[in-house]
Every structure is written in C-alpha cells, then in structure tokens.
C-alpha cells in the first residue's frame, strides 16, 4: 500500500464568476463563515494524511500566499490582550516547516496545465489533487475515504457523486464499466454529456488520486474543452495503461466556484455550527420573499 503524502491544490484560476470581489481577493480566500475556502481543502488533506502541500498559484494571489505566513505582530498583540480563542483560530493556518510549496502557473491555460506545474515536486509517487472550489462536508473527509479506497484498487481515482440525469451536461461524467460498493471501474470520462448520451449519472468532483505517469500525458496534451488543457483528457488518455476508477464519497458537496453553491455552503456550514445554528435557523425559516423595512 502506497502512502499518499503529497497533494496539489490548483488555485491559479481567475475566478471570474466572483467579480468584482475577485478583482483583488483570490477566490480561494473568500470565506465560508469565518474560514477561507483554501483552509477547508487544507484541513481535508491533512486529515487524509497529506504531509506536503503544493499550491499552484498565479500573479495577483498574494493574499492567499501570505495567509500561511506566521503573523508575528498580530499574535503578539492577541497574546498581550489575552485573546486566547482568537489565537487558537490561527492554529490551522500554520504549516510544518517546509511542508508548503507555492508554485506559479504563468498563464491560466487550464486545470491540466496547473497540475503539470507540480511535476518536479511530485516525483515518482501517487499524489492527490484537491480543488478548493469543491467544499465537501464529510466524516471522515472525502479525501480520507478516497485514500482508503485507493489502497484497494490503485490506479487513477476520481471522486464522484450522483446527479440527476437532467444535470449531466453540467459535469464531467464517469463512463462506468462495473461497480463494487462505492468504487466504480471506469473506461474514462465524458465531458458535459447531454442526458440522452450520458454514460452514467456519476459526476466527477474536484478530488483526484493520480499516478505520477499522468505528467507524461499532461506534457503532450493539447487544448480541450473551452480551449483549456483539461486534467480529465489526460486521465482518459491513460485508460488503456492504468486502471481508472470513481469513488462515490459520502458527504455533502458544494460548488463554491458558483455563487449559488457558495451561498448554500455558507448556510450549510453555519447551520452545522452550534454557535450559529439556532439563530440562523429562525432567520431562514422566516418569509424572506420581501425586504424588511427598518422602523
Ligand atoms: P474553474 O473552472 O472554476 O475556473 O477552475 P476559475 O478561473 O477558477 O473560475 P471562473 O470559471 O473564472 O469563475 C477549477 C479549478 O482549477 C483551477 C482553479 O483555480 C480552480 O481550483 N485552475 C483553473 C487553475 O489552477 N488554473 C487554470 O488555468 C484554470
């Protein structure tokens, strides 16, 4: 069994769906309640046993890179003021020495191109990829579940979730050969199929465990859907040599790359917090269809 030690976090996208906010704030720094999106992905990876964290960043994302620095002046002030719970909130932002690598993708040429930047840092071992846009609440986390399943089947593994048939055209969809519990053996993925031609209703979600030879595929990859270098095309190109499987994780996934998903994630995370749930529950159960006029 190979221990999955390294994870790549592609965070170089432009986040145009969140403009104007993302004009100066990286999408991955937008908070769901009080933690930025990137923190949820880092925590999920940590829980799954990841020891090396490789962020593929881009120009203009300084706030994301600074987030993992020690805030010495802030910590001193909080200590002096006796604000221990505020200090505790900083703990998850600390990374062990040398555990964080930040690379740059010079141009936003697509997810496949972003992952390719990590080749030298991954070397010759299987690794995980997490898209922070996909926030998944699960116990254990989705990547932990996948690491366990991957120990059984190896190969390339993608996370999947069931979607309604009418929604297949919004996702990459797994072409399933056979299923064994939550693991589906696949002959690849089809990008955004219309429901009539969708090979299954298992949509591919932003968690992957990949074998290092994916980099050879990525080196030779041309532009795919949307003119971008697609990670799914590289996985598809490998199906004859390497087993490809889907893992249907247990958990709730929110597409925080879309405004709708982001707002839903905010409500769901807040409702899962004992300090926020009661009041928010009352608020959400009100008739919100017309604005309240302040007295
Ligand atoms: P998206 O397709 O959501 O693109 O990327 P985006 O640019 O982030 O957002 P929009 O569509 O303009 O609103 C999916 C994931 O791939 C990363 C993104 O950071 C996100 O995690 N990505 C995408 C890169 O790292 N580089 C790229 O060139 C493209």
């Amino acid at each position: 069994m190979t221990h999955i030690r390294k994870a790549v976090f592609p965070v170089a996208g432009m986040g145009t769906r969140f403009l104007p906010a993302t004009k100066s704030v990286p999408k991955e720094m937008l908070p769901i309640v009080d933690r930025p999106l990137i923190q949820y992905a880092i925590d999920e990876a940590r829980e799954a046993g990841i020891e090396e964290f490789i962020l593929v960043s881009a120009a203009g994302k300084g706030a994301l890179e600074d987030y993992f620095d020690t805030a010495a002046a802030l910590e001193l002030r909080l200590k002096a003021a006796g604000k221990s719970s505020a200090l505790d909130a900083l703990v998850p932002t600390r990374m062990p020495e040398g555990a964080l690598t930040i690379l740059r993708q010079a141009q936003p040429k697509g997810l496949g191109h972003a992952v390719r930047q990590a080749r030298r840092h991954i070397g010759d071992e299987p690794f995980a990829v997490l898209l922070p846009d996909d926030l998944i609440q699960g116990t254990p986390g989705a990547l932990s579940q996948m690491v366990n399943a991957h120990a059984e089947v190896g190969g390339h593994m993608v996370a999947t979730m069931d979607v309604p048939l009418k929604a297949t055209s919004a996702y990459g969809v797994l072409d399933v050969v056979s299923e064994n519990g939550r693991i589906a053996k696949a002959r690849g993925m089809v990008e955004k199929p219309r429901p009539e031609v969708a090979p299954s209703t298992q949509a591919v979600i932003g968690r992957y465990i990949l074998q290092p030879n994916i980099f050879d595929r990525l080196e030779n990859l041309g532009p795919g859907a949307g003119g971008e270098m697609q990670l799914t095309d590289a996985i598809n190109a490998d199906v004859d040599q390497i087993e490809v499987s889907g893992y249907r994780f247990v958990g709730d996934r929110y597409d925080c790359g879309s405004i709708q998903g982001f707002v839903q994630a905010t409500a769901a995370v807040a409702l899962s917090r004992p300090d926020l749930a009661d009041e928010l529950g009352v608020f959400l159960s009100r008739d919100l269809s017309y604005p309240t006029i302040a007295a």
Side-chain angles (χ1 to χ4, degrees):
M1 172 179 159
T2 324
H3 177 35
I4 311 294
R5 298 187 311 122
K6 299 182 182 180
V8 178
F9 301 78
V11 290
M14 292 188 290
T16 52
R17 284 170 285 174
F18 283 87
L19 283 170
T22 46
K23 188 173 164 217
S24 61
V25 179
K27 175 172 67 175
E28 301 75 18
M29 287 305 293
L30 298 177
I32 298 291
V33 184
D34 52 9
R35 292 193 296 159
L37 269 177
I38 187 68
Q39 185 72 60
Y40 291 89
I42 294 279
D43 290 348
E44 186 185 323
R46 227 182 233 144
E47 184 216 9
I50 298 297
E51 295 160 8
E52 292 190 35
F53 303 78
I54 300 158
L55 264 54
V56 182
S57 183
K61 300 241 174 180
L64 177 60
E65 296 163 19
D66 294 349
Y67 177 73
F68 295 99
D69 285 343
T70 306
L74 172 65
E75 288 187 21
L76 274 177
R77 259 184 280 136
L78 293 175
K79 248 182 223 146
K83 300 204 164 186
S84 58
S85 62
L87 268 170
D88 289 347
L90 297 176
V91 172
T93 70
R94 285 192 204 119
M95 301 297 262
E97 220 172 86
L100 178 69
T101 303
I102 297 177
L103 306 173
R104 292 285 191 124
Q105 184 187 17
Q107 284 176 298
K109 289 187 182 174
L111 177 59
H113 184 253
V115 172
R116 196 172 88 182
Q117 308 307 307
R119 180 170 203 161
R120 280 197 228 176
H121 294 267
I122 296 297
D124 195 25
E125 57 186 291
F127 64 101
V129 176
L130 294 96
L131 307 192
D133 289 9
D134 277 328
L135 191 155
I136 305 176
Q137 288 200 296
T139 313
L143 190 64
S144 272
Q145 298 173 38
M146 285 177 76
V147 164
N148 286 336
H150 188 263
E152 283 176 40
V153 292
H156 295 319
M157 178 175 271
V158 300
T160 65
M161 71 175 197
D162 283 317
V163 295
L165 183 61
K166 64 177 190 302
T168 55
S169 56
Y171 297 91
V173 171
L174 202 67
D175 189 350
V176 175
V177 178
S178 60
E179 285 186 74
N180 181 7
R182 300 204 154 263
I183 302 174
K185 191 167 156 25
R187 59 173 79 81
M189 281 150 277
V190 179
E191 215 30 69
K192 301 188 168 50
R194 283 177 288 114
E196 314 84 86
V197 293
S200 77
T201 51
Q202 291 194 35
V204 177
I205 302 303
R207 303 286 183 273
Y208 308 78
I209 297 178
L210 300 172
Q211 297 295 333
N213 59 298
I214 195 76
F215 290 113
D216 289 338
R217 298 295 179 191
L218 289 169
E219 290 299 337
N220 300 314
L221 202 63
E228 294 195 338
M229 220 181 273
Q230 299 290 351
L231 184 59
T232 46
D233 288 346
I235 299 172
N236 272 342
D238 250 354
V239 283
D240 292 336
Q241 282 86 36
I242 292 197
E243 291 266 319
V244 174
S245 60
Y247 180 79
R248 262 184 320 115
F249 58 85
V250 183
D252 293 322
R253 172 263 187 181
Y254 301 93
D255 173 13
C256 294
S258 77
I259 293 178
Q260 183 66 247
F262 188 91
V263 173
Q264 288 176 13
T266 303
V269 170
L271 288 170
S272 72
R273 292 234 324 221
D275 57 330
L276 301 172
D278 289 352
E279 251 184 79
L280 182 64
V282 171
F283 176 74
L284 291 176
S285 60
R286 266 183 37 203
D287 179 0
L288 294 169
S289 57
Y290 56 89
T292 312
I293 298 167

